[in-house]
Amino acid sequence: MSKSRDAAQASPRTRVGLWLGRPLASFHLIVTIAALLTLLGLVMVLSSSAAEAYATDGSAYTLFTQQLIGVGLGVIAFYIALRASVRVLRKVSFPLFCLSVVMLMLVLIPGIGSEGADGARRWFNIAGVSFQPSELAKVTLVLWGAHLLASRRSEHASLKSLLIPLVPAALLMAALVVMQPNLSTAIAIGIILVSLLWFAGLNARLFVVIVGGGLAAATVLAFTAGYRSNRIKAWLNPADDPQGLGYQSNQAKFSLADGGPFGVGLGQSRAKWSYLPNAHNDFIFAIIGEELGFIGCMAVLGLFALFVYTGLRIAMRSVDPFLRLLAAGSTTWIFAQAMINIGYVVGLLPVTGLQLPLVSYGGSSTAITLLMFGIIANAARHEPEAIAALHAGQRSRFDRVLRLPMPASFSPLRAAAARSKSTRPALDRDDRRRLESRDTVPRRRGDRAYAEVGGRTPAPRRSGAGERQPDPQRGAARQPGVRRPHPDGQGYRR
């Protein structure tokens, strides 16, 4: 009674901490963030695209319907990724990577890949449905890269063996994307590569060299094409050509300024009436700022901040090196893409064309991002505490409704070996502190869930000069006809 009274009288900060300490808190956070961002994206795509869609097709719901189809496919991909086993993900990572490279080559061939208005070849049109293979390429790179680096670290591979397969393959993929041309997606591929190498424990000096080389290459590519150099000029001097090069950036800032603290109201934006180009796509954050105001912008930033906290928390709690690299790399990629999009909308960065994940219009991007959220949620269900809770029968209603499979257990010996292979001390300290704690897992003798995460049964207490207290279970075992609980919790035995 006193414990319940203390919990009721606890401060909000304490209640949040208690909730975050639950075994499946990370899983529920990822699912909630994905749902909120997706719903926000649907609402804002409808609001920002209605005027343009009506003027083009005579229906205000054309672009919204396409976005809804992308969300539907993304929900299916989310569910499939959530049910997939870790072994299957690692097994299919390399074939999927090869398939994505082949698709990037095919999209460049005239007659196979669809040509856009600016001469870009980035899409496949199949039965009226457009698909962008570069979005799939980002997923396959993070999957195969995490699998490769985790395998090589466990084999004590040399630095050359870590870099040679992954870096040339990523550069090949980036080169194919640049040929489309699509520099923004090439930047995203570079972010994925850098994040994987960092969380795999690459030497800081070599890491700086790789990052510097990537920035130099991006700078050179930015000035090789006319439209890219125009974006740099518009970013450096937006007032030089306010009706030309700087028009889009200036209109985005005007939209943010018109919103004020609370916005002009949902659906009441003036910029979407052909004043702000790509209002439903690249610059949807400006429409959010105009209609929902500063409060709406802070809500979006808060959701992405909560996402990066949850994703890195999952990475730190994972004992499987593959899941650790996969969660950290995916989180870094999605968060960096969101910050780049918001950065060029507010004028801090040049326009790159990267979309706001789950919010901007784009069926391929939305479906692929939901797929990655499903993979991260799958990793959250493989945290040691989550495995212990699920095997102990503490399944949530969400698990039961979706009939999610039980995550595979992770043996204590493999967990210790995985911790010893990591070179990021920040991850190791948290893993060690969590796994050595005795307050987060069941303590019943013979509890399978407790044993599977490395728990140890407390030794019997001593009484007096080195004498052990009698074990009541052993005594009961010697008495015929006495029923006692089975050690595995499966009924009774005599």
Side-chain angles (χ1 to χ4, degrees), residues 105-158:
M105 294 178 179
L106 292 177
V107 79
L108 298 174
I109 301 176
I112 298 180
S114 300
E115 185 174 354
D118 55 353
R121 296 186 178 276
R122 305 175 185 174
W123 301 273
F124 290 120
N125 278 332
I126 303 175
V129 178
S130 298
F131 172 71
Q132 198 167 353
S134 58
E135 295 292 336
L136 179 63
K138 294 186 286 188
V139 178
T140 59
L141 176 61
V142 73
L143 274 174
W144 178 62
H147 166 66
L148 179 66
L149 292 175
S151 302
R152 295 297 171 89
R153 295 298 299 181
S154 63
E155 298 170 358
H156 297 281
S158 62

Side-chain angles (χ1 to χ4, degrees), residues 272-355:
K272 64 185 181 183
W273 293 89
S274 300
Y275 288 103
L276 177 61
N278 294 323
H280 59 284
N281 194 356
D282 298 344
F283 285 83
I284 197 170
F285 187 75
I287 305 300
I288 294 175
E290 184 179 5
E291 295 188 349
L292 304 181
F294 179 77
I295 301 299
C297 293
M298 292 305 298
V300 174
L301 290 173
L303 284 176
F304 280 107
L306 184 60
F307 165 69
V308 73
Y309 163 77
T310 308
L312 294 182
R313 164 190 163 109
I314 295 170
M316 290 188 293
R317 288 170 170 248
S318 298
V319 293
D320 188 340
F322 169 71
L323 292 179
R324 176 181 299 175
L325 289 171
L326 183 60
S330 303
T331 302
T332 305
W333 152 38
I334 296 175
F335 180 72
Q337 181 170 327
M339 292 302 101
I340 291 175
N341 176 274
I342 296 174
Y344 69 69
V345 169
V346 301
L348 296 178
L349 296 172
V351 177
T352 59
L354 283 175
Q355 299 169 328

Side-chain angles (χ1 to χ4, degrees), residues 79 82-85 381 390 395 399 402-408:
Y79 183 67
L82 194 56
R83 293 184 58 89
S85 66
R381 297 183 77 245
L390 291 173
R395 302 189 68 181
D399 271 30
L402 296 182
R403 298 183 179 181
L404 298 179
M406 284 289 184

